[in-house]
């Protein structure tokens, strides 16, 4: 008994150190009563508001309606309901409205900016017109069923990988470039557009539908991004107006497709935000002394290291 008391008196106190090896008299995984005093629960959990989540989901519903409108134009063009003159008129109206939105939402409006946009789009249109004869007979030896299957798969891939919080091209007010998944999504939409254009009867048809598709897939996210940055209220009004127009056009085409699209919009804008708020209650995160150390630099050390960069 005396030996046990003497050993406990001679044994040094346990210290909480990150490095230094095992301490004499203690196991490697030893902890004392103060180990859980620094434990913090749900320190980094973000409390979300259902109204804010529903407002953020509007961007997804908006782009789903944009892709639906593109699919409607594809369907009417393949059925010869829209001729090449109507498509060219639609392309010109989209160009004009897109220019108008960009000029109204830009903080610095200048003639140089307008000239820059016109020059780039002229190069883009000329290159696309020169490639139209190549796209026209591209899939002549492939069956139509294979074309429709691949096109639908590419459109679904495009929707799955699309960056709904940014733009497919770098906007002047954006701080970062488009992500890799966004570029893959854009490429999938371009290939789907080429497959659809290759089934049209004339080269002018091919040029008109390719110009329309690339305007939407390439520049429409940029335009909607500028609208959202300019005014979030205007973004909501534009999005709900676009949803109403899309639902009306789909209703005239097929009632079952209308119900399917309406169900998707309700599921994205109402059900998914509600699910996210509900599962937030079950999120449990703990932090404590077992976490990895985070390096923190003060202003003086940051200035020192910036001399070597």
């Amino acid at each position: 008994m005396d030996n046990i008391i003497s050993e406990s008196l001679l044994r040094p106190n346990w210290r909480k150190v990150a490095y230094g090896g095992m301490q004499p008299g203690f196991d490697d995984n030893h902890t004392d009563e103060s180990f859980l005093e620094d434990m913090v629960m749900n320190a980094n959990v973000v409390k979300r508001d259902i109204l804010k989540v529903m407002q953020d989901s509007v961007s997804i519903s908006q782009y789903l309606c944009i892709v639906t409108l593109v699919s409607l134009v594809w369907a009417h063009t393949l059925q010869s309901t829209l001729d090449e003159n109507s498509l060219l008129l639609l392309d010109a109206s989209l160009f004009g409205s897109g220019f108008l939105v960009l000029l109204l939402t830009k903080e610095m409006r200048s003639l140089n900016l307008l000239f820059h946009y016109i020059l780039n789009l002229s190069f883009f249109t000329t290159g696309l017109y020169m490639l139209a004869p190549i796209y026209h007979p591209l899939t002549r030896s492939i069956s139509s069923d294979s074309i429709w299957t691949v096109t639908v798969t590419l459109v679904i891939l495009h929707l799955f990988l699309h960056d709904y919080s940014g733009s497919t091209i770098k906007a002047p007010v954006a701080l970062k470039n488009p992500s890799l998944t966004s570029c893959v999504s854009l490429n999938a939409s371009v290939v789907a557009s080429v497959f659809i254009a290759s089934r049209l009867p004339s080269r002018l048809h091919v040029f008109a539908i390719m110009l329309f598709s690339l305007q939407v897939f390439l520049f429409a996210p940029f335009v909607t991004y500028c609208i959202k940055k300019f005014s979030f209220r205007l973004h909501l009004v534009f999005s709900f107006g676009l949803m109403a127009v899309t639902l009306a056009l789909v209703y005239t085409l097929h009632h079952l497709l209308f119900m399917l699209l309406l169900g998707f919009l309700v599921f994205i804008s109402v059900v998914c935000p509600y699910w996210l708020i509900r599962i937030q209650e079950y999120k449990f995160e703990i932090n404590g002394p077992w976490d990895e150390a985070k390096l923190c630099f003060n202003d003086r050390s940051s200035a020192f290291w910036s001399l070597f960069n």
Side-chain angles (χ1 to χ4, degrees):
M1 185 68 181
D2 294 338
N3 293 333
I4 297 175
I5 295 176
S6 60
E7 289 179 359
S8 61
L9 293 175
L10 294 176
R11 186 173 60 178
N13 295 328
W14 178 81
R15 295 178 299 110
K16 183 174 66 174
V17 293
Y19 304 99
M22 293 181 58
Q23 302 180 37
F26 298 97
D27 296 331
D28 186 46
N29 60 349
H30 176 79
T31 57
D32 63 354
E33 294 79 5
S34 64
F35 181 71
L36 296 179
E37 291 180 356
D38 298 329
M39 185 181 68
V40 180
M41 294 184 295
N42 296 333
N44 300 319
V45 175
V46 179
K47 299 297 182 181
R48 303 182 185 275
D49 180 51
I50 187 170
L51 182 60
K52 180 65 169 58
V53 177
M54 291 177 67
Q55 289 176 352
D56 293 337
S57 67
V58 170
S59 298
I60 304 177
S61 301
Q62 177 202 74
Y63 195 73
L64 178 61
C65 291
I66 290 176
V67 175
T68 303
L69 290 176
V70 174
S71 302
L72 289 177
V73 173
W74 286 352
H76 285 295
T77 305
L78 291 171
Q79 295 172 359
S80 300
T81 307
L82 288 175
D83 57 2
E84 57 267 30
N85 295 326
S86 301
L87 286 174
L88 291 175
L89 183 61
L90 179 61
D91 295 339
S93 61
L94 287 178
F95 266 133
S97 58
F99 268 125
L100 183 62
V101 170
L102 290 179
L103 291 177
L104 292 179
T105 55
K106 287 290 294 180
E107 297 180 357
M108 299 297 294
R109 306 182 184 96
S110 63
L111 294 177
N112 292 331
L113 178 65
L114 180 61
F115 178 75
H116 175 72
Y117 284 146
I118 293 177
L119 185 63
N120 287 342
L121 288 176
S122 62
F123 288 147
F124 171 76
T125 306
T126 304
L128 192 60
Y129 183 79
M130 295 174 63
L131 291 174
I134 301 176
Y135 295 149
H136 182 221
L138 191 61
T139 61
R140 186 172 297 173
S141 60
I142 305 176
S143 64
S144 297
D145 293 339
S146 300
I147 293 297
W148 309 144
T149 303
V150 174
T151 301
V152 171
T153 304
L154 289 173
V155 171
I156 294 175
L157 179 65
H158 169 71
L159 288 172
F160 183 75
L161 298 178
H162 182 71
D163 184 10
Y164 295 95
S165 62
S167 173
T168 52
I169 57 178
K170 183 174 173 54
V173 294
L175 300 178
K176 59 180 181 179
N177 292 318
S179 61
L180 176 62
T181 56
S182 178
C183 295
V184 174
S185 172
L186 179 60
N187 290 333
S189 65
V190 171
V191 176
S193 303
V194 171
F195 283 166
I196 292 295
S198 63
R199 315 304 287 187
L200 297 178
S202 65
R203 296 177 180 178
L204 190 58
H205 262 105
V206 173
F207 167 71
I209 199 66
M210 282 297 299
L211 184 60
F212 167 77
S213 301
L214 292 183
Q215 279 185 92
V216 174
F217 290 128
L218 189 60
F219 297 114
F222 176 57
V223 172
T224 56
Y225 178 81
C226 292
I227 293 176
K228 186 176 181 180
K229 288 297 181 181
F230 180 75
S231 173
F232 189 77
R233 182 174 298 179
L234 181 61
H235 164 71
L236 293 179
V237 172
F238 173 74
S239 300
F240 286 119
L242 186 65
M243 292 179 199
V245 171
T246 306
L247 288 172
L249 292 176
V250 173
Y251 183 80
T252 59
L253 181 66
H254 201 285
H255 292 358
L256 181 60
L257 293 178
F258 168 79
M259 296 300 298
L260 185 63
L261 178 60
L262 181 61
F264 269 120
L265 294 179
V266 172
F267 179 76
I268 293 171
S269 301
V270 179
V271 178
C272 287
Y274 175 75
W275 277 355
L276 181 62
I277 298 300
R278 286 299 304 271
I279 64 177
Q280 197 79 14
E281 303 174 0
Y282 304 100
K283 191 169 184 178
F284 184 71
E285 179 186 13
I286 58 174
N287 299 96
W290 52 83
D291 293 334
E292 295 182 0
K294 297 181 180 179
L295 299 178
C296 299
F297 300 98
N298 54 25
D299 296 336
R300 184 176 299 177
S301 60
S302 299
F304 172 77
W305 288 109
S306 64
L307 297 175
F308 297 93
N309 295 332

